[in-house]
Amino acid sequence: MIAQEQKPMEEILGYLEGKQKIVVMGCGGCATFYYTGDKKAVNEMAEKLTKEGKAVTKIILPLGISACEIDMSAAFLEKNRKAIENCDAVLMQSCGDGVQVVNEYIENKMGLVKAIYPANDALGLVGGGPTKFKETCQSCGMCELGKTAGICPLTSCGKGLMNGPCGGVRADNKCEIDPDKDCAWVKIYERMEKLGELDKFIEMRDPHEWSKMKRPRLFEIEKPLSPVRAMLGSLPAYLTLLRKPKLEE
Amino acid sequence: MGDEVYSDLMRDLKEGKYVFTGELEPEKAGDVHEPIEMARDLKGLVVACNVTDNPQSFAYVNSMAASYLIQKETGMECIYQLRCADRNRMALLSDVLGAGALGLKNILALTGDHVSLGDTPDAKPVYDLDSTTLIAMIRKVVDEGKDLGGNEIHNPPKLHVGGAAAPGAANLKAEVAKVKRKIKVGAEFIQTQVVYYTDVLDRFFKELGKVDVPVLVGIFPARTFGQADFFDKYVAGVDVPPDYLENMKKTKEIKDKEKRKEEVDRVNVEFFTEFLEHLKGTPAAGCHMMAVGYPRIIAPLKKVME
């Protein structure tokens, strides 16, 4: 998921200076999991803006409906067409994808030109949980994990080196940049040692191919997924959740 | 390693001479007068001098420009330090070709401290290559006349490339495996990060075993307590012994400038004599004396090695 946190209110109010009628839109995807776009977050934002004298219309997306998945979020935009038509600005409680996908829809499909602002800062693809998350993949388009014992050095090494460790490892095998972070290359060495693959460690890995990261990357699938069908088909597998292990932090 | 010898440094190493190298640091300035003066002082004492490239990620005069000017003005052979932190593979290749065109003969290929540690912490770090892939690229350029993409290079540069090692690394096995990787892809010499402890040195050489390339051990006789303290606090992977630090600190109390200088020299000669005596018994091919701005200490320390 894409981790995110809310921007300081000062910055948000700066964007909205001189704008009176505001549409605040949340996101039922990642932002909901990080409490930055769920129903409560939208209500709280609306309350703060109302206190600042703004007239607010809320668009709350239920869990599972992401702002960036326009085939689902568009219905909520259309439902609030009048408010969007009349507003001075849209404030998105989502990641930057949500902001831009919604903006494109409002402008190109609804035919409205509206100022749109982010309320959140996206902090990257993260995994883990239940409360602590870590960025381990940067979607570079050319996965190197097969060469690095399942640990991505491009993401987990502070310098993104393909051939570490660098000379800056601390005495406790932490990173030179941040004493709280492990040296990814020491971790890779230790994993390769356990796997009996140290011969691979000493081999040079070629420089990473960044050609797969020509931005903006476009992606296409043959036909859209039917979420209802996918969920129904997976019903028996959901039973596994009944045995969900208790994760300690 | 190829048989060709392009530099005095490599000539002396191949002839089996015990080699001393020095270090010069271009500064945040619009000229390189100071390192040029230092190079004049070091002439005859060391075979070549490293010229640092944005050390600790402080942005200074370009290392290639400084190396060229130092070499031209003083005749001191330079070991042009080139780090991956600030340049992508295209810029690195351009710089390697430029270095050859300017008559530089040695490159020390470095990954480089992270930009967030220096004086421009908001800069975007690059690290498109790392020290190992940079070494491999330089060897490909020099030996095959080709760049990373296999494109032909007309009249390829003639220069040598070395790599760094960190004997004080906490996971020494991983560090040594990395050093061997650098040697495997073509590093022709190794210069180590600063070492203060003889047991650190012994552990490193024991783990490294026999290698085919010369290893120069780095030492850092500090000109002031501040320098030593900075190394201890801020240079990754280096611990400065508390006794040495304490003795250096005491020199600050001496009011008379000349007497203070004498005492600083005495502290350094006393500490490093023991270290250098020990170094004689190791497989080191020489000593890299990183006495930045402190050329007068080189002669008395070299004497220990005679």
Side-chain angles (χ1 to χ4, degrees), chain A residues 69-112:
Chain A
E69 299 284 346
I70 202 66
D71 57 328
M72 293 194 274
S73 57
F76 297 83
L77 291 167
E78 293 293 353
K79 192 181 161 199
N80 290 280
R81 172 177 276 272
K82 256 215 173 105
I84 296 171
E85 258 174 21
N86 293 328
C87 80
D88 300 318
V90 178
L91 180 68
M92 293 295 301
Q93 290 185 285
S94 69
C95 73
D97 267 339
V99 177
Q100 294 174 82
V101 167
V102 165
N103 184 38
E104 273 190 30
Y105 186 85
I106 292 176
E107 188 156 329
N108 299 333
K109 301 288 181 191
M110 298 174 83
L112 303 168

Side-chain angles (χ1 to χ4, degrees), chain A residues 2-246:
Chain A
I2 298 168
Q4 47 203 283
E5 61 186 12
Q6 192 187 299
K7 284 178 174 291
M9 268 318 282
E10 206 179 21
E11 185 183 342
I12 295 170
L13 291 172
Y15 293 134
L16 301 180
E17 205 180 322
K19 319 270 183 198
Q20 170 60 24
K21 287 176 267 179
I22 313 294
V23 169
V24 177
M25 181 166 178
C27 171
C30 310
T32 284
F33 286 89
Y34 297 103
Y35 303 112
T36 51
D38 58 314
K39 185 179 173 184
K40 193 171 168 223
V42 175
N43 283 333
E44 281 173 4
M45 178 61 75
E47 203 175 308
K48 282 177 193 163
L49 295 181
T50 306
K51 271 189 192 158
E52 295 291 327
K54 316 266 183 208
V56 177
T57 302
K58 298 178 281 186
I59 303 181
I60 293 164
L61 301 190
L63 179 66
I65 308 295
S66 304
C68 66
E69 299 284 346
I70 202 66
D71 57 328
M72 293 194 274
S73 57
F76 297 83
L77 291 167
E78 293 293 353
K79 192 181 161 199
N80 290 280
R81 172 177 276 272
K82 256 215 173 105
I84 296 171
E85 258 174 21
N86 293 328
C87 80
D88 300 318
V90 178
L91 180 68
M92 293 295 301
Q93 290 185 285
S94 69
C95 73
D97 267 339
V99 177
Q100 294 174 82
V101 167
V102 165
N103 184 38
E104 273 190 30
Y105 186 85
I106 292 176
E107 188 156 329
N108 299 333
K109 301 288 181 191
M110 298 174 83
L112 303 168
V113 178
K114 292 291 163 186
I116 191 162
Y117 299 105
N120 295 347
D121 286 318
L123 303 169
L125 283 182
V126 297
T131 58
K132 287 182 182 168
F133 298 86
K134 189 160 74 168
E135 182 184 26
T136 52
C137 171
Q138 55 179 282
S139 309
C140 68
M142 181 72 200
C143 189
E144 302 278 12
L145 288 172
K147 301 171 192 166
T148 54
I151 297 168
C152 176
L154 295 169
T155 312
S156 296
C157 162
K159 297 177 181 175
L161 305 182
M162 285 300 293
N163 294 282
C166 75
V169 196
R170 292 170 193 256
D172 54 359
N173 288 323
K174 299 287 182 184
C175 176
E176 75 172 27
I177 304 167
D178 188 337
D180 293 331
K181 291 175 185 164
D182 293 323
C183 168
W185 273 102
V186 167
K187 290 273 165 206
I188 292 170
Y189 181 88
E190 288 168 354
R191 281 243 332 137
M192 285 188 172
E193 192 173 32
K194 282 188 257 181
L195 292 166
E197 293 179 352
L198 280 179
D199 52 324
K200 285 188 186 167
F201 186 87
I202 207 165
E203 289 300 322
M204 183 187 83
R205 279 147 291 269
D206 286 337
H208 182 71
E209 289 178 32
W210 290 106
S211 54
K212 291 269 183 79
M213 214 168 176
K214 273 184 243 154
R215 282 173 161 155
R217 290 177 285 176
L218 306 173
F219 190 67
E220 196 171 345
I221 51 173
E222 271 182 23
K223 58 175 185 180
L225 174 81
S226 160
V228 176
R229 204 171 135 192
M231 284 169 87
L232 286 176
S234 305
L235 267 182
Y238 281 124
L239 296 175
T240 312
L241 288 176
L242 297 174
R243 291 189 297 165
K244 189 177 165 191
K246 198 170 170 164

Side-chain angles (χ1 to χ4, degrees), chain B residues 6 9 15 26 28 47 60 74 81 94 101 106 122 131 134 162 197 201 220-221 230 236 240 243 256 263 292 301:
Chain B
Y6 307 124
L9 169 72
E15 286 174 0
K28 203 178 267 299
V47 65
Y60 294 151
T74 70
Q81 291 193 184
S94 293
N106 313 287
D122 290 335
S131 52
L134 176 57
Y197 292 97
L201 195 61
F220 187 82
F230 180 87
V240 181
D243 288 356
D256 184 83
E263 180 59 8
V292 176
L301 293 184

Side-chain angles (χ1 to χ4, degrees), chain B residues 37-275:
Chain B
E37 287 311 309
M38 295 291 166
R40 288 205 170 102
D41 290 340
L42 288 172
K43 200 82 202 296
L45 291 170
V46 294
V47 65
C49 271
N50 289 42
V51 179
T52 55
D53 178 15
N54 293 349
Q56 282 95 45
S57 280
F58 283 65
Y60 294 151
V61 175
N62 175 280
S63 173
M64 177 168 39
S67 298
Y68 168 72
L69 288 169
I70 290 164
Q71 211 164 273
K72 183 171 160 249
E73 295 291 320
T74 70
M76 168 67 76
E77 184 171 294
C78 290
I79 301 167
Y80 161 42
Q81 291 193 184
L82 178 60
R83 52 180 235 151
C84 300
D86 317 312
R87 303 163 180 89
N88 71 6
R89 64 192 82 174
M90 287 183 68
L92 288 167
L93 176 68
S94 293
D95 283 0
V96 169
L97 298 180
L102 290 174
L104 303 181
K105 297 297 178 192
N106 313 287
I107 295 181
L108 182 69
L110 300 170
T111 295
D113 293 330
H114 196 271
V115 298
S116 64
L117 305 178
D119 67 353
T120 318
D122 290 335
K124 184 175 185 179
V126 183
Y127 302 110
D128 188 25
L129 300 187
D130 50 57
S131 52
T132 306
T133 44
L134 176 57
I135 290 167
M137 182 188 85
I138 293 172
R139 289 306 302 264
K140 197 171 177 185
V141 168
V142 174
D143 299 344
E144 299 171 34
K146 285 183 178 163
D147 67 12
L148 280 176
N151 303 299
E152 294 279 341
I153 293 164
H154 175 65
N155 199 11
K158 292 179 167 56
L159 39 79
H160 298 286
V161 60
N171 190 322
L172 190 58
K173 283 179 188 294
E175 171 64 20
V176 164
K178 181 194 71 178
V179 173
K180 286 182 174 170
R181 190 196 290 144
K182 291 185 188 183
I183 294 170
K184 203 173 168 188
V185 303
E188 296 170 85
F189 61 92
I190 297 292
Q191 286 180 311
T192 78
Q193 179 54 288
V194 171
V195 187
Y196 282 98
Y197 292 97
T198 54
D199 56 338
V200 167
L201 195 61
D202 292 344
R203 270 202 306 273
F204 172 70
F205 276 119
K206 193 177 170 202
E207 187 63 38
L208 186 66
K210 195 175 157 23
V211 289
D212 292 335
V213 303
V215 177
L216 307 180
V217 170
I219 64 167
F220 187 82
R223 189 185 48 180
T224 61
F225 166 71
Q227 266 191 341
D229 194 45
F230 180 87
F231 243 77
D232 189 48
K233 283 187 179 135
Y234 301 109
V235 177
V238 178
D239 284 324
V240 181
D243 288 356
Y244 172 74
L245 268 180
E246 190 54 37
N247 288 336
M248 286 297 288
K249 197 173 185 178
K250 279 183 197 154
T251 64
K252 280 174 48 175
E253 291 160 17
I254 302 170
K255 295 274 184 294
D256 184 83
K257 201 176 164 189
E258 285 309 311
K259 282 190 178 151
R260 188 168 65 234
K261 275 180 164 181
E262 276 174 28
E263 180 59 8
V264 166
D265 292 359
R266 193 198 63 75
V267 169
N268 276 309
V269 170
E270 185 183 87
F271 178 84
F272 285 104
T273 294
E274 199 183 325
F275 184 88

Side-chain angles (χ1 to χ4, degrees), chain B residues 24-35:
Chain B
L24 300 167
E25 191 169 298
E27 296 179 329
K28 203 178 267 299
D31 62 66
V32 281
H33 290 155
E34 202 165 305

